[in-house]
Amino acid sequence: MRIAIPVFPGVEELDAIAPLEVFGVAKGTGLDLTIELITASTASTVRCFHGLEISGLRHVSGTYDLIIVPGGGWISGAKDGVRLAVEEGILPRLLREQFEEGATIASVCTGTFLLEAAGLLDGIPATTHHSAMEDLESAGVQAVSSRVVDAGRVLTSGGIASGLDLSLWILERTFGKDSSDRVAEILEYERRGPVYFKPEGIPPMQQKG
């Protein structure tokens, strides 16, 4: 299972690193996973919302089974972060193309707005950080107040740390509850709910290979 986490200037650190940690630990338990931090631009280094710099980023290559999109800067009104990524349009186009190639697309926090910009939330439920729920509704999205919303090949999650719950839920859905529980135990993390699961009309994620 090939997983990508796209990062961009102003990205919220934990939005990206929490899924990386979950799937990295899962790989260490023997699951067949590859996890990459990628960039949709030509830059190989990005400066995150709180000042962390991530370098050595890989550029988009081929297709992925799962893409987890972090947020950043939306609530504060930052000029970079999600708002700039939406305005530039590069990442939304990538997400749409990958979705059409069969990838499952998930988001953490305000990364949901990049999914919305890619046209992936039409007619399906979604969530985001509680402070941005009104913005989500204003965009015409069926906003649901839930820690994780699973609509099949499109999943969204609430604010920042909910990326842990999102990633553990994807592990459970793909590899079974025992695998997910083992990773949560290693992380010493108690999963929080609820998960709003409504995949009607959307094909479920399938492992490739």
Side-chain angles (χ1 to χ4, degrees):
M1 183 179 183
R2 191 178 185 210
I3 304 166
I5 303 170
V7 295
F8 43 85
V11 68
E12 174 68 42
E13 283 88 340
L14 190 58
D15 283 11
I17 299 304
L20 180 69
E21 180 74 17
V22 170
F23 288 105
V25 169
K27 181 177 181 179
T29 68
L31 297 182
D32 185 14
L33 303 170
T34 61
I35 312 101
E36 303 173 13
L37 290 175
I38 65 168
T39 175
S41 72
T42 57
S44 59
T45 300
V46 302
R47 183 177 178 84
C48 303
F49 184 72
H50 295 291
L52 176 70
E53 288 193 352
I54 302 177
S55 61
L57 293 169
R58 298 187 181 188
H59 297 280
V60 177
S61 173
T63 57
Y64 302 91
D65 298 294
L66 170 66
I67 299 179
I68 302 180
V69 186
W74 182 275
I75 298 164
S76 68
K79 293 182 180 179
D80 56 5
V82 171
R83 293 179 188 276
L84 179 59
V86 167
E87 181 181 333
E88 290 177 337
I90 299 170
L91 184 50
R93 282 196 300 273
L94 168 68
L95 297 177
R96 186 74 202 183
E97 290 168 0
Q98 290 284 327
F99 182 78
E100 291 173 351
E101 289 292 325
T104 289
I105 311 294
S107 66
V108 181
C109 197
T110 56
T112 299
F113 291 96
L114 283 159
L115 272 61
E116 192 277 328
L120 300 181
L121 301 183
D122 296 346
I124 67 169
T127 193
T128 187
H129 192 283
H130 66 272
S131 297
M133 289 292 280
E134 288 188 8
D135 290 345
L136 194 61
E137 292 174 345
S138 296
V141 177
Q142 180 188 340
V144 175
S145 180
S146 184
R147 186 80 168 170
V148 176
V149 174
D150 183 342
R153 283 182 52 221
V154 177
L155 300 93
T156 54
S157 61
I160 312 177
S162 65
L164 292 165
D165 298 281
L166 169 72
S167 301
L168 288 166
W169 169 250
I170 292 173
L171 279 178
E172 178 176 334
R173 197 179 86 164
T174 309
F175 297 101
K177 192 172 186 303
D178 287 348
S179 293
S180 176
D181 286 348
R182 184 180 181 189
V183 172
E185 181 180 11
I186 293 170
L187 293 172
E188 295 195 4
Y189 180 73
E190 294 185 13
R191 295 172 65 179
R192 296 175 59 188
V195 173
Y196 182 90
F197 185 47
K198 192 171 183 179
E200 289 88 342
I202 301 173
M205 176 168 60
Q206 300 290 337
Q207 286 181 255
K208 296 180 181 177

